[in-house]
Amino acid sequence: MIATAAQLLEELQARGAIADARTPAAARAPRERPWYVGLLLGIAGWIAGACLLLVLALTFTSHDGPLVLAVGIALIVAAWVLFRADRDGAFVPQLALCLSVAGQFATLLGLGQVAHGSHEVAGIALAALVLQAGLVYAMPNRLHRAMSALFAAAAWAVLVRYGLWDRSEGVAVGSARSPGLAFLGWALAWPPIAALLYYIVREEPRWMAAGRAAIVRPAATGLIVALALATLLSEPFALFEWGGSATIRSGWLAIWPFLSVFAALGALAAAFALGERGLAGACVACALAHLSHFYYAMGGTLLVKSLALLALGVALLAAARVLRRGSAP
Amino acid sequence: MLKRSTLDEIVRDHRLGEAAVSMALDLSGGRPGADAWRAFAARLLGAAGVAGLGAGAIFFVAANWRDFAVLGRFGVLEGFFAASVAAALWRPPPHAAGRAALALATLLAGALLALFGQAYQTGADVYELFVAWAVLALPFALAGGSGASWAIWWGIVNVALALVFGWIGPEHVLWRIFARWGADRPMLLLVPCAVNLAAAAGFAALRGTRFGSHAPRGLTRMLAALGFLYGTAAGIAESVSEGASHVAIPAFAAVSAAVAVAALRARRDVFPLALVIGSWIAVSTAFLAHAMHLHDIGTLLAIAAWLVGTSSAAAYVLMRWVRHWDVDEDELPEAAA
């Protein structure tokens, strides 16, 4: 297998795919940012954005909805200008990320204050979906695009939830009015995102050739993280209850964590297909967390659960052995 | 396999069409074929199967707690434990079955210790369980000979360290001993920091020797990250507490400087420098937030500006090193191989 860019270029030239195997100056351009530098910048940018948001909260009152909305939009526009002005720098993109985070929250807060409807959570989620989808396209920054794709998927799940079957009062309300509707909500929220990821994986050569990699690849990263983790947003019960009144919910509710396990495995397959090894590890961790959740939510005695786990372990090991035999030369 | 970012650059610079991109992806191993998918699924199913068997065995004993006598409880767990060890002897590492069996044996060793404590009411603390577990599991980590087996073992060790130096309070006998030496919480947190960093240095030294399979870069990075996590916690705890001894921050600064100098001289990996810089951004931000009390717009803006400024400067210098050093970020963790 070819392991270096020079070898690949020579092979492509030998096969007539390119005329000249010499690497243009642009291909020797700055190396990609390692994941740990991106993580450091992302965390710092988010905390700085939260500080700016607190500044806005201290500056404006709940009656200043239109003003907050205007400030939010202005901050997003300012972030866009900064990203365009200095794409490869360090300080300016970081400042832009901070402004954008504060601007997005302020825009949604302002919208929430301006429009008090009977379905305000669904309405704000719809606005967030449109905003984030636009930012995936507009913001010329890989980290920002990945985060926007993640939040767009989360906004879509919240929109389906509060538009279809849950109440709008409060966040993470713990009651499912209709399990059937909740299940329909899950089916509406996540399979389309999985299908979109499948399409992205299948059409990778096409969008790479069309010069869309700078947009589609970070968007795929955000969607993979969403499919692995954000399915929690569609579960019809509160994950965390404050005040120490949490009770273990069991029985049919266990189906939701189980669905999340499958979603995380789908995300894992997409990460593997796109060569995102770090993301694949994160997907495995998410699948394990969902599986633990499933174990506690599942009804039945401890004996049944332990026997099910033992049977599952034997079956999985047998399946792995069959696959290894099949791949042996 | 070539990184996708490299492929993206080649596609952009040579204006490749769809057919040529497909060819480039296939030539560089960018698109997994049937064999790669099968191997990936086999590895995943194998790991999930081992985890399922381990958890099932432990829960089976818990489920039959009242029905089994003490001997029965031990018999079931020891039966699973013996079967795991036998499987590891039958297909010793580096065979995948042997490594999986040793991982299972490590889990079951902890379950046996917990059962011992429960059955005979030894009165042992939880940290003692984890210390004993780490001691008993050490041969399995050595026999496993892989980054994954050492990562599991260091995970157990770190739970023990966190319990001893981060969890127990002034009422505990160990705390009284520490207090007699004049140690407070921030100073105690430096102990697991030092242990993890020493381990990271030790494993890094093994690379390139015949024991190199024990020390993939992922393991040394994990240990270094854990060390800096404890060091950062110590620094933050000292910077926000009024009566602290003011030892932890200078000591952590000295350790950070030593790590930075070593990384700058070796010029092999930027990750330790990112840890040093990230830790000190966190400590300094906590100090500023505590000193300025965060009660008005000005202080919030100052914190935001500090974070943006320091993280931007960090990105600038880190990316300079990434570009100028011959760092291969694509090196695969041994566990995934």
Side-chain angles (χ1 to χ4, degrees):
Chain A
M1 185 192 305
I2 286 174
T4 68
Q7 287 173 346
L8 177 63
L9 287 169
E10 282 172 15
E11 188 61 33
L12 287 174
Q13 188 183 23
R15 295 180 182 219
I18 56 172
D20 187 355
R22 280 177 299 178
T23 308
R28 297 188 293 271
R31 296 182 60 155
E32 189 193 12
R33 181 179 285 163
W35 63 268
Y36 47 84
V37 179
L39 187 68
L40 192 155
L41 287 175
I43 292 172
W46 266 83
I47 297 173
C51 289
L52 273 190
L53 190 67
L54 281 173
V55 169
L56 292 179
L58 288 173
T59 307
F60 300 109
T61 69
S62 60
H63 302 294
D64 296 329
L67 196 55
V68 174
L69 179 61
V71 169
I73 293 171
L75 285 173
I76 292 173
V77 172
W80 180 81
V81 170
L82 289 174
F83 275 131
R84 299 276 303 179
D86 186 6
R87 295 183 188 211
D88 297 323
F91 176 77
V92 173
Q94 186 66 354
L95 177 64
L97 180 66
C98 166
L99 293 180
S100 177
V101 169
Q104 290 170 50
F105 276 111
T107 302
L108 296 178
L109 279 174
L111 275 175
Q113 288 174 1
V114 169
H116 289 288
S118 57
H119 289 83
E120 65 265 29
V121 175
I124 292 171
L126 176 62
L129 173 61
V130 173
L131 176 67
Q132 298 296 341
L135 293 177
V136 169
Y137 181 78
M139 288 295 187
N141 179 271
R142 183 182 165 82
L143 177 63
H144 198 296
R145 281 180 165 143
M147 291 198 311
S148 290
L150 166 63
F151 294 133
W156 166 242
V158 173
L159 170 63
V160 171
R161 176 182 187 132
Y162 287 98
L164 187 66
W165 55 269
D166 207 350
R167 297 173 298 190
S168 283
E169 307 93 61
V171 178
V173 176
S175 63
R177 284 177 176 172
S178 159
L181 272 181
F183 185 75
L184 178 64
W186 203 97
L188 275 176
W190 297 105
I193 290 172
L196 180 58
L197 265 175
Y198 174 75
Y199 181 78
I200 287 173
V201 169
R202 201 187 67 179
E203 298 297 322
E204 190 181 14
R206 179 178 294 183
W207 50 258
M208 282 176 75
R212 298 281 179 203
I215 296 175
V216 181
R217 206 174 291 290
T221 301
L223 292 178
I224 287 170
V225 175
L227 195 60
L229 186 62
T231 48
L232 295 171
L233 291 169
S234 297
E235 295 184 351
F237 45 88
L239 291 166
F240 307 104
E241 292 186 33
W242 310 109
S245 60
T247 53
I248 294 176
R249 296 161 191 275
S250 61
W252 60 269
L253 288 167
I255 191 173
W256 271 272
F258 199 58
L259 290 172
S260 294
V261 173
F262 277 106
L265 292 177
L268 173 64
F272 180 68
L274 291 173
E276 300 272 10
R277 291 177 188 278
L279 267 185
C283 292
V284 169
C286 288
L288 283 174
H290 293 313
L291 197 63
S292 305
H293 189 188
F294 166 70
Y295 177 81
Y296 281 105
M298 186 173 72
T301 62
L302 196 55
L303 179 63
V304 170
K305 289 181 182 183
S306 65
L307 289 174
L309 275 172
L310 286 169
L312 183 69
V314 170
L316 290 174
L317 285 175
R321 187 171 169 77
V322 168
L323 282 174
R324 282 201 187 96
R325 277 188 174 170
S327 63
Chain B
M1 186 175 72
L2 271 182
K3 285 191 80 168
R4 286 296 205 278
S5 56
T6 308
L7 283 172
D8 288 341
E9 284 178 1
I10 290 173
V11 170
R12 185 191 62 210
D13 295 328
H14 290 272
R15 300 176 192 279
L16 298 186
E18 192 179 332
V21 174
S22 284
M23 192 188 295
L25 281 167
D26 290 336
L27 286 169
S28 61
R31 278 198 295 204
D35 283 346
W37 276 111
R38 198 179 289 123
F40 170 72
R43 213 160 56 219
L44 188 67
L45 291 174
V50 168
L53 277 181
I58 293 165
F59 291 135
F60 185 77
V61 173
N64 293 287
W65 188 257
R66 292 184 181 178
D67 301 325
F68 287 163
V70 171
L71 200 62
R73 296 169 194 165
F74 277 103
V76 171
L77 272 188
E78 283 170 354
F80 280 110
F81 182 75
S84 304
V85 174
L89 290 170
W90 176 53
R91 289 277 190 273
H95 196 285
R99 284 181 173 167
L102 284 174
L104 189 55
T106 302
L107 286 179
L108 291 169
L112 274 169
L113 278 170
L115 178 60
F116 185 81
Q118 184 70 262
Y120 298 110
Q121 292 298 313
T122 58
D125 278 325
V126 182
Y127 78 85
E128 290 174 292
L129 165 71
F130 279 91
V131 170
W133 188 2
V135 172
L136 283 180
L138 183 58
F140 301 136
L142 280 166
S146 70
S149 58
W150 280 113
I152 294 172
W153 189 78
W154 276 102
I156 298 166
V157 170
N158 268 286
V159 174
L161 289 170
L163 288 169
V164 173
F165 297 103
W167 183 254
I168 59 171
E171 72 285 352
H172 198 278
V173 65
L174 271 181
W175 185 273
R176 288 184 205 135
I177 296 170
F178 297 145
R180 202 176 299 160
W181 296 337
D184 55 8
R185 179 74 74 197
M187 286 170 66
L188 289 178
L189 285 171
L190 286 179
V191 177
C193 166
V195 170
N196 279 290
L197 291 180
F203 278 98
L206 286 179
R207 302 187 77 198
T209 70
R210 65 192 174 98
F211 299 109
S213 66
H214 290 249
R217 189 167 67 184
L219 179 69
T220 53
R221 282 185 169 184
M222 180 192 99
L223 291 167
L226 284 167
F228 272 91
L229 191 66
Y230 284 115
T232 306
I236 290 175
E238 188 164 287
S239 64
V240 301
S241 59
E242 304 300 339
S245 57
H246 303 298
V247 171
I249 286 183
F252 183 48
V255 169
S256 301
V259 170
V261 167
L264 286 167
R265 288 181 67 178
R267 295 169 69 92
R268 278 202 303 263
D269 192 4
V270 181
F271 186 74
L273 293 161
L275 288 175
V276 171
I277 293 172
S279 289
W280 284 97
I281 290 177
V283 172
S284 58
T285 305
F287 174 78
L288 279 178
H290 180 70
M292 295 195 298
H293 301 298
L294 272 186
H295 56 67
D296 59 19
I297 291 173
T299 53
L300 282 166
L301 280 174
I303 294 291
W306 173 253
L307 275 169
V308 170
T310 51
S311 58
S312 305
Y316 178 77
V317 295
L318 290 172
M319 287 309 295
R320 266 185 74 87
W321 289 321
V322 166
R323 286 170 190 143
H324 288 95
W325 296 0
D326 187 22
V327 179
D328 179 14
E329 284 294 332
D330 289 341
E331 186 186 7
L332 297 180
E334 176 274 341

